[in-house]
């Protein structure tokens, strides 16, 4: 059931997404239990280290300079502030610290500043992840040398739908950056966004691309669009929650060893919907009350939810399949 495949077709994936809900979830749970402890969730924390004024035109994004979202741009954060945020994240139970910058692609000087951030966060004993836009092979090599664990670069959607969402860089640009990151030996965090008005076939197209990456990304973030006033996608029809669950279940089945993250959009989800997403095979969340620029449920609400489910936070980055997980209830 859990051999790694990279050759999923769109019809096959559409059929997987459309299976009777309970059959799909039962298979996704079986795959999940074969590779993971279903009662342990990974906690990551995000920090926007450079905010807004981005030249790209991603239609979902509050940080694009093309849309008036009321966001106040901020310059690259000094390392001391990053360290303080990472210490708080660690105290809140996060094992991974993800730094995001609103760049199309960093220049070499900016990469050096990020290297300082990475080294400082790694010194705290946390896993490091950054998302900085497109990277050259040399820049990816430099980040690898600095000890970066993960690079986040999303494919966002299917190749066919992509052009309706972003025009300032291509799908192939994204695949090239992912290739550079992989070649440098950095683990890949790559996923997408649902709820942008796409069809099930589009979601299948995204999953086919993600599962087509060889090796599969180690982390697969599934973001539910956070609708921000001023962005072109504000007001798009909300996605049926069951479609989100189906997408997560299909991702779990198609990429059985990858950690699927229930990422952006949780403030719009009921506790019950989030629990279904975890049941379908998501085993990672962002902690804290802010994503990059938009709200996230926050620690007390998350600890309450995990406690009610008998789920604990993974305590160390070294235990993806803990033999003896620590439970909070
Ligand atoms: N600028 C870099 C880039 O685009 O690669 C890194 C930061 S960018 C904000 C990282 C990812 O956040 C995007 O690829 C997208 O998947 C996600 N994202 C941005 N705005 C979002 C929104 N409103 N809702 C859900 N996900 C969003
Ligand atoms: C990812 O896939 N989701 C995160 C992270 N990678 C960088 C970002 C979500 C951003 C949501 C909108 C915001 O807060 O600005
Ligand atoms: Fe810029 Fe990234 Fe937002 Fe696109 S998603 S506008 S590249 S910050």
């Amino acid at each position: 059931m859990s051999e790694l495949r990279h050759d999923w077709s769109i019809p096959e994936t559409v059929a997987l997404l459309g299976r009777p809900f309970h059959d799909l979830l039962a298979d996704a749970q079986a795959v999940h239990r074969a590779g993971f402890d279903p009662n342990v969730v990974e906690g990551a924390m995000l920090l926007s280290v450079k905010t807004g004024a981005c030249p790209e035109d991603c239609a979902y994004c509050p940080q694009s300079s093309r849309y008036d979202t009321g966001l106040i741009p901020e310059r690259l954060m000094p390392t001391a502030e990053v360290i303080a945020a990472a210490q708080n994240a660690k105290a809140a139970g996060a094992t991974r610290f993800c730094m995001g910058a609103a760049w199309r692609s960093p220049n070499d000087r900016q990469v050096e500043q990020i290297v300082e951030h990475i080294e400082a966060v790694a010194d705290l004993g946390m896993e490091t992840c950054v998302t900085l836009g497109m990277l050259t092979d040399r820049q990816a090599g430099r980040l690898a040398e600095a000890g970066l664990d993960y690079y986040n670069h999303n494919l966002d959607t299917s190749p066919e739908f992509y052009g309706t969402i972003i025009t300032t860089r291509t799908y192939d640009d994204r695949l090239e950056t992912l290739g550079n990151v992989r070649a440098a030996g950095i683990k890949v965090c790559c996923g997408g966004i649902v709820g942008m008005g796409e069809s099930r076939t589009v979601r299948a197209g995204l999953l086919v691309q993600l599962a087509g990456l060889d090796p599969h990304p180690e982390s697969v973030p599934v973001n539910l669009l956070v609708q921000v006033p001023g962005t072109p996608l504000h007001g798009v029809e909300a996605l049926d929650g069951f479609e989100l669950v189906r997408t997560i279940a299909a991702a779990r089945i198609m990429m059985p060893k990858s950690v699927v993250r229930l990422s952006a959009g949780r403030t719009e989800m009921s506790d019950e919907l989030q629990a279904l997403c975890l049941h379908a095979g998501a085993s990672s969340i962002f902690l804290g009350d802010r994503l990059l620029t938009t709200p996230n449920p926050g620690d007390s609400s998350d600890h309450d939810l995990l406690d009610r489910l008998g789920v604990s936070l993974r305590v160390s980055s070294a235990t993806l399949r803990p033999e003896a997980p620590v439970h909070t209830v």
Side-chain angles (χ1 to χ4, degrees), residues 50-67 100-105 131-134 153 156 165-166 168-169 174 193 292:
K50 188 269 166 187
T51 304
C54 182
E56 302 291 272
D57 70 352
C58 312
Y60 48 75
C61 188
Q63 302 202 66
S64 167
S65 62
R66 299 166 190 243
Y67 316 129
W103 286 320
R104 170 182 165 79
S105 51
T131 180
L132 316 171
M134 294 184 288
H153 199 64
D156 277 347
I165 303 294
I166 300 144
T168 48
R169 67 173 119 156
R174 288 184 187 251
I193 310 180
L292 290 173

Side-chain angles (χ1 to χ4, degrees), residues 14 21 29 62 65 102 115 127 129 137 147 208 249-250 253 255 265 269 282 286 304 307 316 321 326:
V14 170
F21 189 74
Q29 251 289 303
S65 62
V115 160
E127 289 178 329
C129 177
D137 54 352
V208 163
I253 289 168
M255 294 168 280
M269 296 175 206
F286 286 123
D304 174 60
D307 274 356
S316 141
R321 280 196 70 180
V326 180

Side-chain angles (χ1 to χ4, degrees), residues 36-60:
F36 298 87
D37 183 330
N39 301 313
V40 175
V41 154
E42 167 192 87
M45 192 87 88
L46 276 169
L47 178 69
S48 181
V49 295
K50 188 269 166 187
T51 304
C54 182
E56 302 291 272
D57 70 352
C58 312
Y60 48 75

